[in-house]
Amino acid sequence: MDYSIRDVSEILNLSREMIRYYEKHGVISPRRNDENNYRSYSIFDIFMLLDTLQYRS
């Protein structure tokens, strides 16, 4: 199952800008929809963000 940036933001209580920041720095690499270029996050991406947040604190 894939998640939108809005879904990930709500699940992790993390701003969309912060999710994009982690993508920019290579922590996650969401797929892009060919038709509209929207990001599509996997459960693996969510777990990587969770690990990153845990190590930050």
Side-chain angles (χ1 to χ4, degrees), residues 8-53:
V8 176
S9 177
E10 289 175 0
I11 291 168
L12 299 178
N13 195 25
L14 195 63
S15 71
R16 294 175 189 177
E17 292 79 19
M18 189 58 85
I19 295 169
R20 289 184 194 107
Y21 171 85
Y22 287 125
E23 178 186 354
K24 180 180 175 183
H25 290 286
V27 175
I28 57 174
S29 54
R31 287 176 290 189
R32 294 283 188 149
N33 185 327
D34 291 335
E35 295 176 9
N36 55 19
N37 208 28
Y38 287 179
R39 293 169 177 87
S40 180
Y41 297 89
S42 68
I43 194 71
F44 179 75
D45 292 324
I46 294 173
F47 284 135
M48 288 301 293
L49 285 172
L50 279 171
D51 281 348
T52 303
L53 295 173

